[in-house]
Amino acid sequence: EIGGFDTKYKKAGVEEYEMGHRLAEKGYNNYIYRDILYDHYYDSLPKRANSLLRRVSIYLPLFLKKRKFETEGGTGTFFEFSMILFSFFGLIAISLSLVSYKLFIVPISIFAVIFMLNAKFLFYLMAKEGVFFSFRSFFALLYLYISMGLGVTFGIYSLMAGIGGKNG
């Protein structure tokens, strides 16, 4: 009835979100089954970051059309958007702190907020894998959030250039 997945989206990306929105427009309910276990495998952190950058840039036009965040479990949640903003502000604040060492408190404060908002996850990692792993994971999270922020930037550029975000 809704035509299945939109094949204009190249590679795996946001086709499930787009299809979910079309289902909702037709009056169908979308359910998230939390009891299903699945595993994502990425060769490396840079490959995961690249995947997120691409997916967010593709997702942006859909988000702007619907003007609402996903509720959970994706890169389109309000939490993820907040982390993207905090991470970018943290990077900007680092460059400002180069002007005056007294301004270094600003990026430290921003990164402390990011840490606190991700504390449950980071403490889980600490309990499972140790302090050093959790510490490194914090910087990996920042890297991923910045990658998603770049995805927002590229998505906006694609929209402005008339590409529409369906690039592969």
Side-chain angles (χ1 to χ4, degrees):
E1 183 180 338
I2 64 164
F5 288 116
D6 186 341
T7 58
K8 294 176 188 167
Y9 292 101
K10 305 296 181 207
K11 301 181 183 177
V14 297
E15 69 281 354
E16 71 277 15
Y17 292 113
E18 189 276 334
M19 185 177 181
H21 284 285
R22 284 189 287 128
L23 283 166
E25 286 172 358
K26 293 282 188 179
Y28 293 100
N29 293 320
N30 289 294
Y31 297 98
I32 297 173
Y33 293 98
R34 302 273 179 227
D35 296 336
I36 296 174
L37 297 176
Y38 60 92
D39 197 15
H40 285 286
Y41 175 75
Y42 297 95
D43 291 332
S44 65
L45 184 60
K47 285 186 179 183
R48 175 65 176 144
N50 185 51
S51 172
L52 284 171
L53 186 153
R54 184 180 54 77
R55 288 181 66 134
V56 170
S57 69
I58 295 169
Y59 178 79
L60 186 72
L62 180 61
F63 167 74
L64 293 174
K65 180 180 175 187
K66 298 300 173 187
R67 297 190 189 281
K68 73 174 200 174
F69 289 103
E70 298 301 324
T71 53
E72 291 184 44
T75 56
T77 65
F78 180 74
F79 177 79
E80 298 297 329
F81 180 71
S82 301
M83 293 301 96
I84 290 167
L85 288 179
F86 280 121
S87 298
F88 267 96
F89 288 143
L91 285 178
I92 292 167
I94 287 173
S95 62
L96 292 176
S97 67
L98 297 175
V99 174
S100 170
Y101 72 93
K102 293 178 184 178
L103 294 174
F104 200 68
I105 190 70
V106 176
I108 295 295
S109 299
I110 292 170
F111 293 131
V113 168
I114 295 169
F115 179 86
M116 288 186 294
L117 292 172
N118 286 280
K120 182 178 178 182
F121 174 65
L122 293 169
F123 284 124
Y124 167 79
L125 292 178
M126 189 183 317
K128 293 292 270 182
E129 301 292 335
V131 174
F132 184 65
F133 184 84
S134 181
F135 180 76
R136 288 185 330 184
S137 296
F138 175 72
F139 292 100
L141 280 174
L142 290 177
Y143 180 50
L144 295 176
Y145 291 140
I146 290 166
S147 297
M148 287 187 280
L150 289 172
V152 169
T153 303
F154 289 138
I156 291 169
Y157 172 78
S158 294
L159 286 172
M160 291 174 59
I163 298 169
K166 291 188 180 185
N167 53 5

